[in-house]
Amino acid sequence: MKKKKRSINTTPRRLLKWCLSAIALVVVVILLYCGYLSIQIEERFSGRRWSIPSKVFSDTTILYPGQKTNRTLFNEKLRRLGYREVAHKPVNKGELNTRPSLIELYLHDFNDPSRHREGIPIQIKFAENQIESITDLNSGQPLLILELEPEEVMLFYGPNRERRQLVSINQIPQHLITAVLAIEDRRFYTHMGLDPKGMIRAMYANLRQASIRQGGSTITQQLAKNYFLTPKRTIIRKIKELFMSLIIELMYEKNEILEIYLNEIYLGQKASEAITGFGEASYFYFGKPVNELSLVEAATLAGLIRGPNLYSPYINIDRCKKRRNIVLNAMYEMEGITEEELKMALPLPVEAIGYASYGKKAPYFMDYLSDQLNLLYSHQDLSSLGLSIYTTLDTQVQLAAERALKKGLTLLEKSTPGLDRTDPQKKMQGAVIVMQPKTGYVLAMVGGRDYSLSQYNRITQAQRQPGSAFKPFVYLSGLDKFTPASILSNESKTYEIDGKEWTPHNYSLMIEERVRLRDALAASINLATVDLAMQVGIDHILRTAGIFGFSTPLKPYPSIALGAFEVIPLELARAYCPFAADGVLPYPLALKQVLDEDGSIMEQRHMSIKQVTTPEKAFIMSSLLKSVVENGTASSLKKMGITFPVAGKTGTTNDYRDAWFVGYTPDILALIWVGFDDGASIYASGATAALPIWADLMNALPQYVSGYWFKMPQGVVQLDVCSESGLLAVKGACPFPIKEYFLADHVPEAECRVHTGENQIERIFDGVKDFIKSF
Amino acid sequence: MGLKILSRAFKYFIIFCILAFHMGFWGCAPAYLSPSPPTQPPETPQVEIFGETDETPEEAPEKPSPRALAALQLTEQGRMFLEKNQPDDAIGILERALNLNPGNGRNYYYLAEAWLMKGNIGQAMEFNRLAEVYLKDDSEWLHRVIGQRGRIKAHEQ
């Protein structure tokens, strides 16, 4: 009995003890769990909250009165810069009104580390394809120069491919905050992370509408879900979400939580890129910074939270408008807007800016740039630190180059059916690089026909024989001994190389046995060039090539004179720059500046130059290469609409494997290469295959054509010489005197002897002899 | 008969002289084939003064072209950055000015100044040399360029 009594007395006590122990254990576990979660949250929020992809920008665009423009490319540029066409006079930043002879646009703000330009309304008047005037519409003052902001060209994504522009709570307009709270969490500022009232209200509303109209999750819960949890719906996840919400509320201020939420929330999709946060969404849907959003625009964005792709104005404008109006009504219900504001806003249409889902822009240029960036930053840093990377790229030039190449190759394939291969991987290829010769800025780079099919960059990675495009370096090497008027032999000769005989041939049959140096280069005469090379010395030519930056191995064979060795096209283009830049070789510059998230400079690069020849020799080379275009192998340029002075050189290799043209003016230099990757013949010369592409490119870029030519340096003189002897012309004696440029310290001193003096008597005797012989 | 022969010989001699003279003076028929004569007027050098081209250096246009004016705006911005001791910003702007108007020697002068400020003597010297090329005709600026060279050399030492 006693035993039984004891057991009756001890069981409840034990049970109580057990229960208390269990409760204490659960509390300890919960506390430990909360501690664990708070550490997780602390870690996540105290460090870097988001990975922001680094952005690559093009160079700025300079406009000035009197500048010629390609209206098509210019208008495309404005669209890509985010200017949106409106039917009225632009009143907000980013608005554009285009008319046939003028455009009015409200400029975006423009910031770089050293300058800030507030957006202003401007008017650009055109007279045909030339800018007539630029006017600041605020002050009515004419502008002598206008710089358009750089264009975003690429983002370095992390694995999530998210686009995000961070905004602080202070930048976010009150009507956007009201709209978000009205539709997502009305009691945000009063609850502790959980809102039972809100949950009941949402359940009631959803039951009444027989559909899910409202969610019960608070903003803090949504944040916890987005930030830490998987989308999988389980009870454990829900419990974790509740704990996390409470901890977040305990650890952070309300405004801090709201700011994180507004930057974190997913708001749509641009092709494969996720639009996250209101900062990015504001640009994506309305082309403006978040602080410039109107009431209806803010309500539209707030409405997207529930279903970004369901309510996207790009998917269903009516559904988007209905959702927006629900938000507006919710704002009115919580007294965030007045009745008058509601009535004005409800009928307004949803006007999204629209976007072009474009492919990768300037992909070969970007690869070239990435190679340089990867030496400075890891991929992890590039995809997370939100760097701003400024480049020398001109997107108008890039587009013109891509189009010219595509058109040129297609035309060539049509004109020569054997060239049109069906296998896309084996199709004929081409490459273009455009540089500014004085500074080395790389304006555009097209490394192949189609980046999606081949990422092999034929400008930076290929090694091809330049053929006659190398000849200018032979002629430059000869300028110490020879002059443009010197006479070279055009007779066929056989040379011995490593015990083997080599007999060069001309591209076409020529009867002249002697040619002037200028004509030999203009007509690209092989025999005369080899004659020159042998007299100058192959070693001297190799030294010149080295000084001009060719890095590929060159062997001391006479065939070097004809470009029978491989070069990297980028190096060939660069090597021509000194001719257009007073003898100065620039470093090819693609990367200009890297800024961190706060706009501080992390890396800065400038043009870098070194003198490789004298301004005088550079001028003479330009003059010689101008003859190539005026009456040599590139003379067909005139028929292709190129009426301004150009210097350049064609190149064709054995069996027509490569076709080249490198052409330049004082303002711009472009190299074109056409060929097959497998070295098959394209059955066309540089003048037939590459030259039309160059002409097409330049015709599309009137803004880079000044029509100017190089100023003659003081160390160059111009003299009359006999076209036959290359010596000083004797007035009245030499039948075809010509004006020729000479280095001032290397002028012909002797007068023509062919038409004067002893030669004259010899000729008389010769004439007598011939006469007698005729009998 | 003799007179007739003499007369005929004289006639042939005259013809021979004319032909010989003609062949010797005008024929210029060389033993080799000559280069083709120029097919167009000889090249006349063009000059660029403040961005304008002209046939003769003496007749420089007084009014700068809009392009040159635009470039001058950038040059001025670059100069102001130099005054504020911001050589990197100055170089960025001056490079753009150079692209717009490669013939303005002052850009090279200021670029040399900026590189000198940055302590890069090699680049300062290169730009100083180019400034001289373009400012040779401007005695006032040439004086500055020479002075600048002296400063660069002094810095080098």
Side-chain angles (χ1 to χ4, degrees), chain A residues 210-244:
Chain A
S211 65
I212 295 175
R213 287 294 189 94
Q214 293 179 24
S217 295
T218 64
I219 276 177
T220 322
Q221 281 175 286
Q222 289 183 47
L223 185 61
K225 191 166 57 186
N226 265 23
Y227 231 101
F228 299 97
L229 307 168
T230 58
K232 206 176 170 185
R233 292 187 172 199
T234 61
I235 292 176
I236 291 173
R237 199 211 72 171
K238 197 71 191 169
I239 293 167
K240 200 174 174 184
E241 182 188 305
L242 292 175
F243 277 120
M244 277 196 153

Side-chain angles (χ1 to χ4, degrees), chain A residues 300 304 307-324 350:
Chain A
T300 308
L304 292 174
N309 297 313
L310 185 68
Y311 299 115
S312 168
Y314 296 133
I315 293 171
N316 189 324
I317 197 94
D318 292 331
R319 198 155 52 204
C320 176
K321 190 180 172 187
K322 275 182 195 164
R323 177 70 188 163
R324 182 202 68 185
V350 175

Side-chain angles (χ1 to χ4, degrees), chain A residues 10-230:
Chain A
T10 52
T11 306
R13 227 183 265 169
R14 259 190 202 167
L15 269 172
L16 186 68
K17 216 175 175 180
W18 279 41
C19 281
L20 285 172
S21 303
I23 289 167
L25 189 68
V26 168
V27 169
V28 168
V29 168
I30 288 173
L31 282 174
L32 282 172
Y33 184 59
C34 287
Y36 163 73
L37 288 181
S38 65
I39 290 168
Q40 251 193 331
I41 292 166
E42 174 68 24
E43 269 180 8
R44 187 77 171 85
F45 281 8
S46 62
R48 194 174 177 80
R49 289 176 187 168
W50 295 283
S51 287
I52 312 291
S54 297
K55 285 183 180 173
V56 180
F57 293 93
S58 73
D59 207 348
T60 56
T61 303
I62 287 181
L63 306 173
Y64 58 87
Q67 184 185 36
K68 289 176 196 155
T69 55
N70 179 329
R71 286 292 297 275
T72 311
L73 284 176
F74 182 60
N75 289 341
E76 286 174 9
K77 171 91 185 174
L78 291 177
R79 302 283 184 283
R80 289 195 306 273
L81 284 173
Y83 289 98
R84 55 194 182 281
E85 191 70 44
V86 291
H88 52 80
K89 212 174 177 68
V91 286
N92 296 310
K93 286 171 190 168
E95 287 184 344
L96 163 74
N97 181 244
T98 312
R99 279 175 269 168
S101 63
L102 67 87
I103 61 165
E104 289 183 341
L105 78 158
Y106 209 124
L107 295 170
H108 293 134
D109 293 345
F110 171 27
N111 287 304
D112 74 14
S114 55
R115 291 175 296 164
H116 169 76
R117 186 202 61 206
E118 191 70 29
I120 50 162
I122 57 143
Q123 184 190 67
I124 304 175
K125 268 191 184 172
F126 295 92
E128 293 180 357
N129 278 335
Q130 192 164 332
I131 295 176
E132 195 178 41
S133 64
I134 306 173
T135 312
D136 175 350
L137 290 177
N138 277 346
S139 64
Q141 291 294 311
L143 299 174
L144 290 175
I145 190 165
L146 176 69
E147 203 168 356
L148 291 178
E149 60 274 17
E151 180 184 332
E152 183 192 302
V153 192
M154 192 186 85
L155 277 88
F156 282 97
Y157 286 111
N160 295 331
R161 294 188 66 78
E162 287 178 339
R163 291 178 73 96
R164 192 196 313 269
Q165 289 198 33
L166 291 186
V167 284
S168 82
I169 191 81
N170 301 325
Q171 291 172 276
I172 298 168
Q174 187 54 47
H175 48 252
L176 178 58
I177 292 174
T178 309
V180 171
L181 296 185
I183 199 67
E184 292 299 325
D185 190 357
R186 287 189 192 183
R187 271 174 291 281
F188 173 72
Y189 281 104
T190 54
H191 63 62
M192 272 299 292
L194 305 173
D195 184 17
K197 266 190 193 176
M199 285 165 83
I200 294 164
R201 179 184 51 80
M203 276 172 68
Y204 174 70
N206 293 342
L207 282 171
R208 206 177 56 177
Q209 302 288 335
S211 65
I212 295 175
R213 287 294 189 94
Q214 293 179 24
S217 295
T218 64
I219 276 177
T220 322
Q221 281 175 286
Q222 289 183 47
L223 185 61
K225 191 166 57 186
N226 265 23
Y227 231 101
F228 299 97
L229 307 168
T230 58

